[in-house]
Amino acid sequence: MLIVMNHKATQADVNAITKIVSEMGFRAEPIPGSERTAIGVLGNHGYVDDCKILELSGVQRVIHVSKPYKLVSRDFHPEDTIVDVAGVKVGQGHRPVVVGGPCAVESEEQIVKTALFVKKCGADMLRGGAFKPRTGPHTFQGLREEGLRLLAIAGKESGLPIVTEIMSPDNVGLVAEYADLLQVGARNMQNFDLLRELGKIRKPVLLKRGMSATVEEFLAAAEYILAEGNSQVILCERGIRTFETATRNTLDLSIVPLIKELSHLPIMVDPSHATGKRSLVAPMAEASLVAGADGVLVEVHPEPEKALSDGPQSLTFPGFEKMMGEIGQLTKFLLNR
Ligand code: PEP
Ligand code: MN
């Protein structure tokens, strides 16, 4: 950490900071400059809370050199983490996986039909929301526990592992009974109590990036789960808010190779929520795999025009089949490059 002093800072200010930093258990190294003094803080093994320092006389700003995450960082853990979702391996060196299914579980017929179809096309896992984080309270909120039971039926009939969203720390036990991979949605990326609870279970977690989260905040959120002892975490880029309104969100594809540099955790991409537009889903799913994603998560519905949520971004069955054919070709190339 580097403490940058302002022009008016006196030697007494610098001395006061040196004293406080050593009381915090670190060493302060003043670096006098022609215009201002900076003070290097040495000896910390992680992020240092800067609140106390920012209040002191003469301080202009604090620059954090060390990051607010450690366990998820590649510096700390150079080998790639491979996440095992009921026998399906996700991570570097493994064939990228495809997770397909509707935004929400709506009926037994809908989820079973979709499960059997995506399985036939080569999908690796089935997705479907039972607890839905909808923007407004007057829309379909999901079938909740009944939805979980229908997912279990579809999982059994298709043989596919189940991915479903968890919204509340109180439901972790319930959802973990049914899910093979517990999804934390964008809106809950910083639900720290939920993340802590998920750190205590022994099932993998799919952590989606918050719609306004920086890469650092995203990794710091994953750190909460690892800090409680669960290192089976898959990150998922799902688009971020920008000035652009032509797509639902803006897919930040550069995060894929960036995460590979910064972290050992696998990263997947959800082009459905990133674009909000059916015609863009397959091209962006394929671009994600070229960028190095360990998998993609896409919404598929037997009748998207009748879907209770996210119909416009849901692939039709023929659309999903076509994308899977293209991904099959692409994967052959990617595994040999
Ligand atoms: C979802 O996957 O259905 C979902 C709600 O996604 P997100 O949290 O990325 O908006
Ligand atoms: Mn959705």
Side-chain angles (χ1 to χ4, degrees), residues 94-124:
H94 291 269
R95 184 179 56 76
V97 297
V98 176
V99 182
C103 178
V105 180
E106 297 169 0
S107 67
E108 180 171 339
E109 193 201 347
Q110 174 241 22
I111 193 68
V112 170
K113 211 170 157 186
T114 309
L116 294 174
F117 186 79
V118 298
K119 167 75 182 178
K120 190 181 100 190
C121 297
D124 301 280

Side-chain angles (χ1 to χ4, degrees), residues 102-104 127-129 131-134 165 183-188 206 208-211 236-239 248-249 270 272-274 297 299 309-310 313:
C103 178
R127 63 149 288 150
F131 293 90
K132 292 303 301 174
R134 303 304 304 282
E165 183 157 352
Q183 173 177 326
V184 177
R187 292 156 190 80
N188 275 308
L206 180 76
K208 287 189 148 194
R209 181 184 186 178
M211 51 190 91
C236 183
E237 160 66 25
R238 47 77 72 207
R248 182 175 178 181
N249 291 288
D270 168 355
S272 305
H273 293 87
L297 177 93
E299 289 183 340
S309 60
D310 289 349
Q313 68 193 35

Side-chain angles (χ1 to χ4, degrees), residues 128-203:
F131 293 90
K132 292 303 301 174
R134 303 304 304 282
T135 302
H138 306 304
T139 53
F140 177 59
Q141 303 289 306
L143 297 179
R144 304 176 73 87
E145 205 167 335
E146 168 68 1
L148 295 176
R149 283 200 283 112
L150 299 181
L151 274 168
I153 295 172
K156 209 164 167 207
E157 293 210 15
S158 62
L160 289 173
I162 299 298
V163 185
T164 196
E165 183 157 352
I166 170 81
M167 298 206 316
S168 151
D170 301 339
N171 285 340
V172 169
L174 172 69
V175 175
E177 268 178 47
Y178 294 89
D180 296 295
L181 177 61
L182 287 88
Q183 173 177 326
V184 177
R187 292 156 190 80
N188 275 308
M189 188 204 83
Q190 287 187 316
N191 181 339
F192 299 118
D193 285 344
L194 174 62
L195 300 177
R196 281 196 198 93
E197 281 309 305
L198 291 168
K200 294 178 192 152
I201 62 169
R202 288 296 159 264
K203 283 229 168 151

Side-chain angles (χ1 to χ4, degrees), residues 50-337:
D50 57 20
C51 297
K52 249 204 248 170
I53 292 167
L54 281 168
E55 282 170 4
L56 298 173
S57 161
V59 173
Q60 188 194 55
R61 66 194 171 109
V62 167
I63 301 171
H64 290 275
V65 182
S66 49
K67 307 178 184 99
Y69 54 85
K70 185 167 106 178
L71 300 174
V72 305
S73 91
R74 205 176 267 287
D75 300 338
F76 185 81
H77 185 292
E79 316 82 48
D80 293 296
T81 287
I82 307 300
V83 174
D84 187 325
V85 182
V88 177
K89 302 272 198 298
V90 184
Q92 197 66 32
H94 291 269
R95 184 179 56 76
V97 297
V98 176
V99 182
C103 178
V105 180
E106 297 169 0
S107 67
E108 180 171 339
E109 193 201 347
Q110 174 241 22
I111 193 68
V112 170
K113 211 170 157 186
T114 309
L116 294 174
F117 186 79
V118 298
K119 167 75 182 178
K120 190 181 100 190
C121 297
D124 301 280
M125 297 177 213
L126 174 69
R127 63 149 288 150
F131 293 90
K132 292 303 301 174
R134 303 304 304 282
T135 302
H138 306 304
T139 53
F140 177 59
Q141 303 289 306
L143 297 179
R144 304 176 73 87
E145 205 167 335
E146 168 68 1
L148 295 176
R149 283 200 283 112
L150 299 181
L151 274 168
I153 295 172
K156 209 164 167 207
E157 293 210 15
S158 62
L160 289 173
I162 299 298
V163 185
T164 196
E165 183 157 352
I166 170 81
M167 298 206 316
S168 151
D170 301 339
N171 285 340
V172 169
L174 172 69
V175 175
E177 268 178 47
Y178 294 89
D180 296 295
L181 177 61
L182 287 88
Q183 173 177 326
V184 177
R187 292 156 190 80
N188 275 308
M189 188 204 83
Q190 287 187 316
N191 181 339
F192 299 118
D193 285 344
L194 174 62
L195 300 177
R196 281 196 198 93
E197 281 309 305
L198 291 168
K200 294 178 192 152
I201 62 169
R202 288 296 159 264
K203 283 229 168 151
V205 176
L206 180 76
L207 178 66
K208 287 189 148 194
R209 181 184 186 178
M211 51 190 91
S212 302
T214 62
V215 171
E216 189 165 279
E217 287 162 344
F218 189 19
L219 289 172
E223 183 85 5
Y224 272 88
I225 305 173
L226 271 76
E228 294 293 335
N230 185 358
S231 58
Q232 291 280 289
V233 175
I234 304 170
L235 303 168
C236 183
E237 160 66 25
R238 47 77 72 207
I240 49 173
R241 284 257 166 101
T242 66
F243 59 86
E244 182 57 79
T245 53
T247 48
R248 182 175 178 181
N249 291 288
T250 297
L251 178 55
D252 179 12
L253 215 45
S254 61
I255 197 178
V256 173
L258 180 60
I259 288 289
K260 296 275 172 195
E261 286 178 16
L262 299 174
S263 176
H264 52 90
L265 296 175
I267 176 152
M268 291 183 35
V269 173
D270 168 355
S272 305
H273 293 87
T275 64
K277 203 166 180 304
R278 181 176 311 128
S279 62
L280 306 180
V281 171
M284 297 323 285
E286 292 159 30
S288 304
L289 299 181
V290 174
D294 298 299
V296 289
L297 177 93
V298 297
E299 289 183 340
V300 194
H301 196 286
E303 293 174 289
E305 63 292 350
K306 294 194 185 146
L308 297 181
S309 60
D310 289 349
Q313 68 193 35
S314 300
L315 291 176
T316 59
F317 280 10
F320 183 74
E321 189 167 22
K322 182 163 178 282
M323 183 192 78
M324 289 303 283
E326 291 163 3
I327 287 181
Q329 294 295 318
L330 187 59
T331 302
K332 279 190 221 154
F333 166 75
L334 292 173
L335 290 175
N336 289 320
R337 75 173 164 180

